[in-house]
Amino acid sequence: MTMSTTSNNGTTNITSNPNTQHQRQQNEHPAQTIFEINVSKDTFKFNASHFVAFPGFRERLHGHSYRASVRLIGTSTIGRDGYVLDFGCVKSVTKRVCKEMNEYFIVPMLSEVLKITVSDYDDDGHGDD
């Protein structure tokens, strides 16, 4: 079964296993389901700069506007309210991560052509000296 809901600011797709136990008897455990949920909203976005470097090529530093989405896959017990998880928590965490990523430089840490050294600096750019 697949259910998709779309609003002006995002899409949520829910896919569940057809073997989901929908019926509960009085003394049985709550139903379990295997689920895949994709959550995307217009507010899941950030701006960041980056460049690509590989042998024989290095592009200039430039920026992009990125849109993020969250894909959740798992097994969970369906709550008494019929929900698997609280989407408010997913949205809150995703917005916080996007805010933290906003206006940063994405460093190609695993580049074969760059040597990157990491030093400890505080928020003001001062080292541990």
Side-chain angles (χ1 to χ4, degrees):
M1 171 188 81
T2 301
M3 177 181 76
S4 178
T5 59
T6 305
S7 64
N8 290 338
N9 61 353
T11 301
T12 302
N13 296 311
I14 302 173
T15 305
S16 65
N17 187 325
N19 296 324
T20 301
Q21 302 170 5
H22 291 289
Q23 298 177 352
R24 296 186 209 176
Q25 294 183 359
Q26 199 168 19
N27 293 326
E28 286 187 10
H29 296 288
Q32 276 206 338
T33 185
I34 297 171
F35 66 90
E36 177 177 321
I37 301 171
N38 296 296
V39 182
S40 66
K41 297 185 69 61
D42 289 340
T43 56
F44 296 174
K45 60 186 175 183
F46 62 94
N47 299 308
S49 60
H50 82 113
F51 67 91
V52 174
F54 52 85
F57 179 78
R58 187 174 305 162
E59 69 182 3
R60 290 177 173 223
L61 179 66
H62 62 281
H64 294 280
S65 295
Y66 292 91
R67 292 196 62 196
S69 64
V70 178
R71 181 178 179 203
L72 304 167
I73 301 172
T75 302
S76 184
T77 302
I78 298 173
R80 292 181 186 260
D81 59 4
Y83 291 100
V84 176
L85 59 96
D86 182 352
F87 284 105
C89 293
V90 174
K91 293 173 188 176
S92 174
V93 169
T94 306
K95 286 179 186 178
R96 187 174 71 234
V97 169
C98 288
K99 185 176 181 179
E100 290 172 7
M101 294 286 297
N102 196 40
E103 297 184 356
Y104 274 86
F105 170 50
I106 300 173
V107 179
M109 298 294 290
L110 302 177
S111 173
E112 297 175 4
V113 297
L114 300 173
K115 180 181 177 188
I116 298 172
T117 304
V118 178
S119 298
D120 292 329
Y121 286 91
D122 61 21
D123 291 338
D124 295 328
H126 298 96
D128 288 339
D129 309 77

